[in-house]
Amino acid sequence: LFLDTNQRLPEAKALALTAVKREPIARNYYLLSAACESNSDRAEALAATERALELDPQNTAFQRLRQSLQSSQ
């Protein structure tokens, strides 16, 4: 919800990190990537996206996000 409303972004990132620690699944890494991107941390966003792709390499949304992050650096 914080990411959708673009509010309390540092808290959104902290919550996404907690989700990854509790359940390190591709979807949570994707969420972390979005939270990092919203906090202007593209390097960490790309790292989280890469991890999501390691866990789910066929996911086209993850592939598109990686491409977008790589082209914006």
Side-chain angles (χ1 to χ4, degrees), residues 19-50:
V20 164
K21 288 178 184 174
R22 289 187 178 171
E23 192 174 4
I25 59 173
R27 180 73 181 131
N28 286 345
Y29 279 100
Y30 182 73
L31 177 65
L32 176 59
S33 178
C36 291
E37 171 81 15
S38 294
N39 280 281
S40 299
D41 188 350
R42 287 197 168 78
E44 197 170 335
L46 184 56
T49 302
E50 293 290 351

Side-chain angles (χ1 to χ4, degrees), residues 8-20:
R8 298 168 62 180
L9 297 176
E11 188 175 347
K13 183 178 175 182
L15 291 170
L17 280 167
T18 299
V20 164

Side-chain angles (χ1 to χ4, degrees), residues 25-73:
I25 59 173
R27 180 73 181 131
N28 286 345
Y29 279 100
Y30 182 73
L31 177 65
L32 176 59
S33 178
C36 291
E37 171 81 15
S38 294
N39 280 281
S40 299
D41 188 350
R42 287 197 168 78
E44 197 170 335
L46 184 56
T49 302
E50 293 290 351
R51 183 64 183 131
L53 276 166
E54 288 173 12
L55 296 169
D56 187 1
Q58 302 305 317
N59 189 302
T60 57
F62 300 169
Q63 292 169 2
R64 283 192 304 271
L65 179 58
R66 177 178 59 189
Q67 185 176 13
S68 173
L69 290 168
Q70 287 174 333
S71 66
S72 68
Q73 287 187 339

